[in-house]
Amino acid sequence: PWRWCCSPRRGGAACPSAGQIRAAFLRFFEERHGHRRLPSAPVRPRGDPRLLFVNAGMNQFKPIFLGTVHPRSELAQHRRVVNSQKCVRAGGKHNDLEDVGRDTYHHTFFEMLGNWSFGDYFKEEACSMAWELLTEVYEIPRDRLYVTYFGGDPSLGLSADEECRDVWLRLGVPASHVLPFSLKDNFWEMGDTGPCGPCTEIHYDHVGGGRNAAALVNQGSPDVVEIWNLVFMQYSREVEGNLLPLPQHHVDTGMGLERLVTVLQNKRSNYDTDLFTPILDAIHKGCRAPRYQGLVGDADAGHVNMAYRVVADHVRTLCVCITDGVYPGFSGAELVLRRILRRAVRFCSEVLQAPPGLLASLVPTVVEVLGDAYPELTRNANQIKDIINENEAAFLSSLERGRHIIERTVQQMEPSAKFPAEVAWSLYGSLGFPLDLIDLMLEEKGISSDSAAFNELALEDAKRKAGGPQAGQPGSTHTQLDVHSLAQLRSSSVPATDDSPKYAYTLGQHGQYEFSPCQATVLMLYRDQSLQKEVGAGQRCGVILDRTNFYAEQGGQDSDQGYMIRLGQQDVLFPVESVHLCGGYVIHEVTAVETLRAGDQVQLFVDEAQRLACMTNHTATHLLNFALRRVLGDNTEQRGSHVTAERLRFDFDTKGHVTVEQLQQVEQVVQDLIKRNEVVHMAEVPLTLARRVRGVRAVDEGYPDPVRIVSLGVPVENVLTCDSEAAMQTSVELCCGTHLLQTGSVQDLAIISERQLVKGISRVIAVTGGQAKEAREVGQCLAMEVDSVSLRMKQRITSIPEMQNLSKEVGQLTQVVASTAMPQWQRKELQTILKALQRTANTAIKKLELQQAEKKAQILLAKYCNQPVIIDTVPADSLSILMKVVNQLCDKSPGTSVLLLSPQASGEVLCACQVSKKCLPTFSAADWAVAVCTQMEGKAGGSPIVAKGSGNAKGMQGALTTALEFAQSKL
């Protein structure tokens, strides 16, 4: 359908499009070589808590490589597969975010073309297919291609992959273009343990012209670049570091589409291909900057070209991630995406001088470029635009304020001074500025930040969040009002803080929560255990206001965070790091960026995301309390709770351990309440009236009067009516916390931990929303892995190493199940299964070892025929087996003393011995073993009857002589 033409002289019209190149790859393997074509997996990893994003094509096939795939699953049926996988490398181990824009080839989002063989073809076919595709379908000149192979590693006992080298030579690649490289370049490993193997890479020389560019391969030259990596998984790296052959060989290949398109369209930059040029053109139309010219470094005046690349790359990433369910947020992958969006917005606004909305306006162009390959982008285009616009509007407001703060601070700085850490911290903590963005804005002004002081502030903040003597208790004792200060406040007629505005929030038209800022007056400042009227810049203090919308830590709920500004001085932010309640006064813990005085008029802004997360988890705590009472009985009483933005903790009375079935029932009751989307009714009522309500839940603490009642689904006035039993049928609690207005916003709840603190009191930890969904996905993934091990355990295994590997796998799974966030009921189920599997494996290993030992003992008995001493070498896979052979010999010939040595492939020699009781006390097994192992430069120990040890193979012959001489001297 098109003409492949890779001549350097070709014109642009003759070049294949990126869509054609992608389609040709997929068709080649599907139609010509019988591969099954699979769609790309979403970029949000399924059931893999170790990954923020899918960052390679092989991620979705990990269960096959690890052998954990369920035999009856669809995944297990694959033999040959091809696809184009959406990948994101930002955050975590593979992080290209900081480099994007600075050069012409780094990306946060890219497409990985790949073909796989699961126990089907291997090196010969994989190399042949790759060479055929590149040279015959894509028509890349052969003299521009170089291939590398693994050159071996003597320290690991690995020889060069000559098989792979010979395949390339047979395919006609000149010997001068087939190059060996070390472990670092040509041996691929999934992780510290697991499947691994040699790889062969195909490199392309952009210059060509008949030259030999072998010396530039793997040297970081932009002229000679790797385009395809073919991994041959044939080993498994064990925990001990040694390599064992895999029972099945696999092929995993990966070729970046962007780089391939650059080659086939005769370009030197990925951004000059049709994967990016339509987006760059759309950026130019929507901004006031000059057209993109591909400049980098010092040649790129004003970083305009860098901005083009950043925006083009980041909008692709945003479209793909949002489509796949990763939205800008405040932790994990969501936090990374938030940074990506804000970085793109900043370059749009500050460098490209674009009006608001440019980023979202690029979505149709991205859909046009990628939509045919990934139809889900087309279906979600409107949602992507809405989310980008919403987040952009929030950040542009913060960006403008942050820019003014930086400019104002720089004007006040002494020449050559570093940017104040307190100001950088307020930008980071209060406005959500990514650190790299602060550094970049300062870099443009030729100023450096005081990173050491900033790190100190971050460390202090981390310690404060970790809690003082007791996590969850109010920290920073220097901001806790002492008795004298409280008396002074009252004698000075300073009124208690009106904190009713903390409950002033509503549900917007589209279901979003809206929090209004609060205006207040500074009444007093507190520092160094004394009340003060003024606090200088850089000092930490407690601020007492006449009113506040900040929630102070109480009732088990974490305090709000946020910032305050002076009225009329919008560009000075005072970060509010924590909030405490003392004697009716709300103390806002603040680091003063500038001098702060009593009488200052301020406006308060809570961190809305953190507040909403706390509200969600607090309402979920009420649902959980009700569900526990419903499932475990009316006598179940709350003993404590702690609500943070990340999770909730709940302690309660219990007569025994909560069963798996009860945990499932509790979650089901909560989920039913969530699905019903009950209205959360809240009202303040006289304490005496509230305490009369039948079934009301309360903890043993002092409640204010009037007290706040929180009722799910039933209006408070109905709960208060005489003889009402409404509180017996729903959750009704005395609570001062902030809550959702409807239960549906909780979305989901998963109990991820349950244990007894002391006899009669249990503690559960639960997560909600997306975290709960992720915990369930991880649980399902681990359940499949356990099922796979169970099935393999039922097969008849006669090899001790194979059973030991299975036992080791059970042990590793047991550790993962114990430490991973997943539903607790499922954890308990899997732990029961794994415990039984471990017993089965241990029994099987012991039985196989006994069988093997018995065979070896029979051979030795026949050889030595009741002699008083047996000294010999025997092959044995472990010291355990060797010891069993010795035991068997002595059992069958009670008057015989036995010492056996077993040389190992590692160069170690194992030693085991047993002395006949008739020879005691003259003859000691421990002394015998020590004498022998010392000869081998090793160690030994044991009892007079039984001993064991090990040494070096170099001294084995001398050790055998020593063993005999020692025995003869004692008998």
Side-chain angles (χ1 to χ4, degrees):
W2 66 89
R3 177 174 175 76
W4 294 105
C5 183
C6 296
S7 164
R9 297 184 299 277
R10 70 181 184 270
C15 296
S17 69
Q20 289 173 325
I21 293 168
R22 185 195 300 110
F25 181 92
L26 298 171
R27 282 207 314 272
F28 173 80
F29 284 101
E30 183 181 19
E31 297 174 7
R32 196 175 299 191
H33 293 287
H35 288 59
R36 182 172 183 183
R37 180 173 171 177
L38 294 182
S40 170
V43 294
R44 178 189 283 279
R46 292 266 176 184
D48 191 342
R50 291 155 289 202
L51 281 180
L52 288 172
F53 301 98
V54 166
N55 57 25
M58 55 74 62
N59 288 163
Q60 64 175 311
F61 304 119
K62 270 188 182 180
I64 298 178
F65 299 137
L66 294 170
T68 58
V69 64
H70 195 289
R72 294 194 296 272
S73 70
E74 184 181 13
L75 199 58
Q77 312 310 313
H78 297 325
R79 290 294 173 266
R80 298 182 176 207
V81 165
V82 63
N83 85 340
S84 177
Q85 173 63 49
K86 299 174 289 186
C87 299
V88 174
R89 288 188 178 170
K93 180 181 175 184
H94 298 287
N95 183 12
D96 292 342
L97 178 57
E98 311 305 332
D99 295 314
V100 170
R102 297 181 188 273
D103 55 41
T104 61
Y105 50 87
H106 275 100
H107 303 291
T108 50
F109 164 75
F110 65 97
E111 297 176 70
M112 184 74 85
L113 302 173
N115 61 289
W116 289 268
S117 165
F118 307 120
D120 188 354
Y121 60 80
F122 205 43
K123 297 178 185 178
E124 180 88 36
E125 299 89 336
C127 295
S128 176
M129 291 176 196
W131 193 248
E132 180 188 2
L133 176 67
L134 294 178
T135 62
E136 296 181 22
V137 177
Y138 291 144
E139 295 184 1
I140 297 176
R142 295 167 183 249
D143 62 349
R144 289 200 180 196
L145 296 175
Y146 295 79
V147 296
T148 66
Y149 67 94
F150 178 51
D153 191 306
S155 67
L156 290 174
L158 293 174
S159 57
D161 191 358
E162 294 176 357
E163 179 189 359
C164 177
R165 179 200 64 189
D166 293 344
V167 168
W168 288 119
L169 293 174
R170 285 197 299 273
L171 287 169
V173 183
S176 60
H177 286 220
V178 182
L179 313 170
F181 279 90
S182 66
L183 196 79
K184 173 179 159 292
D185 292 305
N186 279 82
F187 196 89
W188 185 91
E189 305 201 41
M190 188 183 292
D192 294 333
T193 61
C196 57
C199 62
T200 181
E201 296 176 342
I202 304 173
H203 295 249
Y204 176 78
D205 177 16
H206 277 286
V207 176
R211 71 170 185 166
N212 189 319
L216 297 177
V217 172
N218 277 338
Q219 298 305 310
S221 168
D223 293 335
V224 181
V225 296
E226 174 206 336
I227 57 172
W228 205 346
N229 188 11
L230 285 63
V231 178
F232 307 122
M233 293 195 194
Q234 61 189 91
Y235 300 108
S236 174
R237 187 174 290 282
E238 303 303 294
V239 176
E240 296 82 5
N242 58 309
L243 296 174
L244 293 178
L246 282 173
Q248 264 198 334
H249 290 173
H250 306 298
V251 173
D252 163 20
T253 86
M255 177 159 57
L257 176 67
E258 291 76 10
R259 194 171 285 186
L260 176 64
V261 173
T262 301
V263 169
L264 296 180
Q265 293 184 356
N266 198 32
K267 305 295 184 183
R268 294 299 299 271
S269 162
N270 296 354
Y271 292 92
D272 291 338
T273 69
D274 63 347
L275 285 168
F276 289 93
T277 50
I279 303 171
L280 296 170
D281 289 342
I283 294 171
H284 177 64
K285 290 175 184 173
C287 74
R288 290 186 286 273
R291 185 174 288 279
Y292 177 70
Q293 295 175 285
L295 302 175
V296 295
D298 294 339
D300 183 19
H303 300 297
V304 171
N305 289 264
M306 177 181 176
Y308 267 101
R309 289 188 289 269
V310 166
V311 174
D313 171 88
H314 288 8
V315 74
R316 284 167 30 111
T317 305
L318 287 163
C319 289
V320 168
C321 286
I322 292 169
T323 292
D324 286 349
V326 181
Y327 306 130
F330 295 88
S331 64
E334 286 78 9
L335 178 59
V336 174
L337 194 66
R338 180 176 182 247
R339 290 184 63 200
I340 288 171
L341 184 141
R342 291 188 162 203
R343 193 166 184 252
V345 169
R346 188 261 165 166
F347 275 99
C348 283
S349 170
E350 298 274 307
V351 182
L352 298 176
Q353 302 292 307
L358 171 65
L359 205 56
S361 75
L362 302 176
V363 172
T365 308
V366 175
V367 171
E368 184 182 335
V369 173
L370 297 175
D372 288 343
Y374 310 109
E376 60 272 21
L377 287 168
T378 307
R379 294 193 295 271
N380 291 283
N382 289 334
Q383 181 196 24
I384 297 168
K385 285 193 284 188
D386 290 346
I387 290 173
I388 289 176
N389 276 330
E390 182 183 319
N391 281 271
E392 180 184 37
F395 184 53
L396 279 174
S397 172
S398 299
L399 187 66
E400 185 65 20
R401 185 171 295 165
R403 190 168 60 79
H404 285 310
I405 291 170
I406 288 176
E407 287 178 355
R408 184 172 174 276
T409 306
V410 168
Q411 288 169 6
Q412 296 174 350
M413 285 169 54
E414 296 290 331
S416 305
K418 289 189 174 182
F419 192 78
E422 308 84 51
V423 179
W425 180 256
S426 71
L427 288 167
Y428 174 71
S430 303
L431 292 182
F433 263 58
L435 297 181
D436 66 311
L437 189 54
I438 298 172
D439 288 338
L440 199 59
M441 293 173 81
L442 292 176
E443 182 187 312
E444 289 169 0
K445 298 182 181 297
I447 295 169
S448 62
S449 60
D450 190 348
S451 56
F454 184 94
N455 291 337
E456 276 187 36
L457 289 172
L459 189 61
E460 284 180 32
D461 184 67
K463 286 178 180 176
R464 190 162 50 251
K465 286 178 178 176
Q470 275 189 301
Q473 297 300 318
S476 303
T477 53
H478 65 279
T479 59
Q480 297 299 302
L481 295 175
D482 61 272
V483 64
H484 305 292
S485 298
L486 278 168
Q488 187 180 340
L489 284 169
R490 288 166 184 151
S491 65
S492 303
S493 300
V494 175
T497 311
D498 171 19
D499 63 352
S500 59
K502 69 188 179 187
Y503 298 124
Y505 50 87
T506 58
L507 262 177
Q509 186 177 355
H510 301 293
Q512 78 282 9
Y513 281 82
E514 295 176 350
F515 302 85
S516 300
C518 171
Q519 189 171 320
T521 303
V522 177
L523 300 181
M524 195 66 70
L525 302 164
Y526 183 72
R527 184 172 181 273
D528 295 334
Q529 294 189 309
S530 68
L531 296 170
Q532 301 178 10
K533 292 283 188 179
E534 182 177 304
V535 168
Q539 296 180 328
R540 175 172 270 116
C541 64
V543 181
I544 300 171
L545 307 168
D546 62 338
R547 61 200 305 266
T548 183
N549 58 346
F550 277 71
Y551 182 85
E553 199 284 338
Q554 58 183 316
Q557 179 179 327
D558 266 9
S559 71
D560 281 338
Q561 295 176 346
Y563 62 94
M564 61 176 70
I565 59 172
R566 283 200 193 94
L567 287 184
Q569 200 172 3
Q570 305 293 311
D571 54 354
V572 180
L573 274 69
F574 296 85
V576 178
E577 294 157 355
S578 61
V579 189
H580 315 301
L581 185 64
C582 187
Y585 297 101
V586 176
I587 301 101
H588 305 74
E589 190 173 322
V590 165
T591 299
V593 178
E594 289 189 355
T595 301
L596 196 59
R597 300 179 180 86
D600 282 349
Q601 299 290 303
V602 295
Q603 199 166 18
L604 306 172
F605 298 84
V606 299
D607 182 328
E608 297 180 5
Q610 193 237 6
R611 161 68 82 84
L612 184 56
C614 282
M615 287 164 54
T616 300
N617 286 342
H618 205 150
T619 300
T621 302
H622 285 214
L623 300 178
L624 179 63
N625 191 359
F626 172 77
L628 286 165
R629 186 182 184 187
R630 172 65 59 89
V631 173
L632 302 180
D634 290 338
N635 294 327
T636 305
E637 293 290 341
Q638 178 179 342
R639 290 295 179 190
S641 69
H642 187 210
V643 174
T644 70
E646 292 76 33
R647 64 180 195 175
L648 62 96
R649 188 197 75 209
F650 193 82
D651 302 338
F652 57 99
D653 288 335
T654 178
K655 292 180 180 177
H657 288 288
V658 183
T659 66
V660 167
E661 292 74 23
Q662 287 171 330
L663 285 170
Q664 288 175 306
Q665 290 168 17
V666 167
E667 285 191 0
Q668 189 58 55
V669 171
V670 172
Q671 284 159 8
D672 289 342
L673 288 167
I674 293 170
K675 286 176 185 172
R676 292 213 298 266
N677 199 21
E678 300 278 16
V679 174
V680 181
H681 299 275
M682 291 167 276
E684 285 193 344
V685 300
L687 184 58
T688 52
L689 190 59
R691 290 200 182 277
R692 291 182 197 152
V693 175
R694 292 186 61 198
V696 70
R697 310 296 281 171
V699 292
D700 187 18
E701 67 175 42
Y703 285 98
D705 190 5
V707 68
R708 194 168 175 83
I709 285 185
V710 178
S711 172
L712 302 185
V714 179
V716 173
E717 55 265 31
N718 294 3
V719 170
L720 295 174
T721 55
C722 189
D723 296 325
S724 170
E725 290 192 0
M728 303 293 287
Q729 307 304 320
T730 188
S731 168
V732 179
E733 294 193 35
L734 306 184
C735 180
C736 60
T738 56
H739 285 272
L740 298 172
L741 301 178
Q742 291 180 275
T743 61
S745 298
V746 176
Q747 296 180 5
D748 193 9
L749 178 140
I751 297 170
I752 59 170
S753 172
E754 184 275 327
R755 65 185 179 93
Q756 279 205 322
L757 294 178
V758 294
K759 190 171 177 62
I761 299 181
S762 280
R763 168 172 289 177
V764 296
I765 294 173
V767 291
T768 59
Q771 284 180 282
K773 181 184 177 185
E774 186 176 340
R776 295 190 191 284
E777 288 178 356
V778 169
Q780 287 301 312
C781 182
L782 288 173
M784 288 176 65
E785 291 188 38
V786 173
D787 284 348
S788 172
V789 173
S790 298
L791 284 169
R792 282 180 281 148
M793 194 72 80
K794 290 173 184 175
Q795 297 168 0
R796 183 173 175 79
I797 297 175
T798 56
S799 160
I800 292 174
E802 192 176 345
M803 183 54 77
Q804 285 173 332
N805 284 337
L806 204 52
S807 174
K808 192 184 297 182
E809 192 174 337
V810 171
Q812 290 169 342
L813 257 180
T814 300
Q815 290 178 347
V816 172
V817 167
S819 61
T820 302
M822 61 186 293
Q824 180 68 6
W825 64 264
Q826 194 169 31
R827 188 196 319 279
K828 286 187 170 186
E829 280 189 348
L830 296 182
Q831 285 174 330
T832 301
I833 296 168
L834 287 167
K835 193 173 181 181
L837 288 174
Q838 195 68 72
R839 281 198 304 267
T840 302
N842 292 344
T843 302
I845 290 168
K846 190 174 180 181
K847 186 177 177 182
L848 289 169
E849 286 182 347
L850 280 170
Q851 289 171 355
Q852 194 177 108
E854 196 165 48
K855 289 178 184 176
K856 294 180 188 296
Q858 289 292 350
I859 294 168
L860 288 168
L861 279 172
K863 180 179 178 181
Y864 290 98
C865 196
N866 295 326
Q867 292 185 20
V869 177
I870 296 176
I871 298 170
D872 209 337
T873 60
V874 293
D877 292 331
S878 67
L879 191 54
S880 171
I881 296 174
L882 190 64
M883 201 72 239
K884 285 182 173 67
V885 177
V886 171
N887 296 153
Q888 291 269 347
L889 282 168
C890 292
D891 286 347
K892 295 182 188 303
S893 181
T896 303
S897 297
V898 181
L899 184 143
L900 298 178
L901 300 180
S902 179
Q904 304 294 298
S906 62
E908 186 185 32
V909 176
L910 306 177
C911 172
C913 65
Q914 184 170 333
V915 168
S916 171
K917 290 180 181 178
K918 297 176 184 177
C919 302
L920 297 174
T922 310
F923 198 177
S924 164
D927 294 342
W928 200 13
V930 167
V932 171
C933 291
T934 300
Q935 182 69 31
M936 299 188 293
E937 300 177 352
K939 293 181 179 180
S943 69
I945 296 177
V946 178
K948 57 189 175 183
S950 64
N952 194 300
K954 291 177 183 177
M956 190 172 73
Q957 289 306 317
L960 290 169
T961 304
T962 299
L964 183 58
E965 290 173 352
F966 186 94
Q968 287 172 343
S969 71
K970 300 296 181 182
L971 292 175

